Amino acid sequence: MGLLSRFEERLEQLVSGIFAKAFRSAVQPVEVAAALQREVDNSAQILSRNRRLVPNQFHVELSPADHERLAPYSSTLSQELTDMLREHAHEQSYVFTGPVAITFDERDDLSTGRFRVRSAALAKVTPASPSAVTDTAVRRARVVLEVNGMRHPLEPPGLVVGRGSEADLRINDPGVSRRHAEIRVQAGGDGAPDVSVIDLGSTNGMLVNGHRVQHAALEDGGSVRIGNTTLTVRFVPSDGDGGPGDGRRPGGGRV
């Protein structure tokens, strides 16, 4: 029995055929399962000879009518689809970039029976000292590091990012080395911090603003890509500086 058939059989046993009634003329769960499999297959990136990296965040976009029909069963369906994807990944030697999550979103531009699947690769990010990443600490910081929706305050002397437990900011990305890079922070002459990044001898290297380098200075909006994860530096204006998003470093010049 194929993976999709096993998925459909498990689902029918769980909900006693209720899906057949709810989705008689709309999107069928097995269609969504097949689309998720294709999305994973089409997005796979070679990690090593026997392993390929695949997305872990999935958004299934549905028409208003289909979304309304699905809503009462979304939790059960999401869990079954997640289990199905994990089984598929195991069979194909895929590696997820982080915890698998599947959500169902309503889209007005879709008609009944039509749907889309969008995916993203988002690694789990864990600070070594969670107490240092309070809302107050982030608000008071002159520079923050944005990683997969998380903002981490950057204070002198800086921090080490990597996959290992010895890193200050742990990123569960298979393409990231245990100690991949160090973000260095020093007090600047004009009162604004000087921020730079240095590769710590990682396996896959790093890209700074799209360029492969070993060391680089970082300004507002500067990006560092390690593995499949992008880190973005944001300078936060203090009182008397330009407003957020005005493109100025705290205390002065445009970057």
Side-chain angles (χ1 to χ4, degrees), residues 18 54 64 78 80 82 89 95 99 109 143 180-181 190 204 209 213 254:
I18 195 168
V54 295
S78 178
E80 284 300 311
T82 297
V95 177
D109 64 325
V143 190
H180 199 113
D190 60 355
N204 298 317
N209 299 327
V213 297
R254 184 171 298 277

Side-chain angles (χ1 to χ4, degrees), residues 138-194:
V138 171
R139 285 197 302 269
R140 290 177 176 174
R142 297 296 303 274
V143 190
V144 296
L145 189 66
E146 295 180 350
V147 192
N148 291 351
M150 189 194 82
R151 305 181 81 211
H152 194 290
L154 285 176
E155 301 289 350
L159 55 82
V160 171
V161 295
R163 187 167 43 85
S165 58
E166 63 271 32
D168 300 306
L169 193 63
R170 296 194 293 270
I171 302 176
N172 185 28
D173 181 332
V176 172
S177 296
R178 296 184 63 83
R179 283 172 52 89
H180 199 113
E182 181 180 359
I183 309 292
R184 295 178 175 176
V185 183
Q186 296 178 320
D190 60 355
D194 287 329

Side-chain angles (χ1 to χ4, degrees), residues 20-33:
K21 298 177 183 178
F23 288 81
R24 184 171 293 125
S25 61
V27 171
Q28 300 296 317
V30 71
E31 294 177 331
V32 176

Side-chain angles (χ1 to χ4, degrees), residues 65-193:
D66 286 326
H67 190 269
E68 182 179 1
R69 290 188 181 96
L70 174 65
Y73 325 110
S74 59
S75 179
T76 298
L77 181 55
S78 178
Q79 184 58 56
E80 284 300 311
L81 288 168
T82 297
D83 292 343
M84 183 274 299
L85 281 182
R86 289 194 179 114
E87 187 176 347
H88 180 59
H90 177 73
E91 291 179 355
Q92 301 298 322
S93 297
Y94 291 153
V95 177
F96 291 112
T97 55
V100 178
I102 300 173
T103 60
F104 300 93
D105 305 318
E106 181 179 329
R107 292 293 181 267
D108 292 334
D109 64 325
L110 292 172
S111 57
T112 302
R114 303 295 298 272
F115 68 95
R116 286 190 296 260
V117 172
R118 301 185 187 276
S119 65
L122 295 178
K124 182 179 180 181
V125 180
T126 308
S129 301
S131 59
V133 196
T134 63
D135 290 341
T136 300
V138 171
R139 285 197 302 269
R140 290 177 176 174
R142 297 296 303 274
V143 190
V144 296
L145 189 66
E146 295 180 350
V147 192
N148 291 351
M150 189 194 82
R151 305 181 81 211
H152 194 290
L154 285 176
E155 301 289 350
L159 55 82
V160 171
V161 295
R163 187 167 43 85
S165 58
E166 63 271 32
D168 300 306
L169 193 63
R170 296 194 293 270
I171 302 176
N172 185 28
D173 181 332
V176 172
S177 296
R178 296 184 63 83
R179 283 172 52 89
H180 199 113
E182 181 180 359
I183 309 292
R184 295 178 175 176
V185 183
Q186 296 178 320
D190 60 355

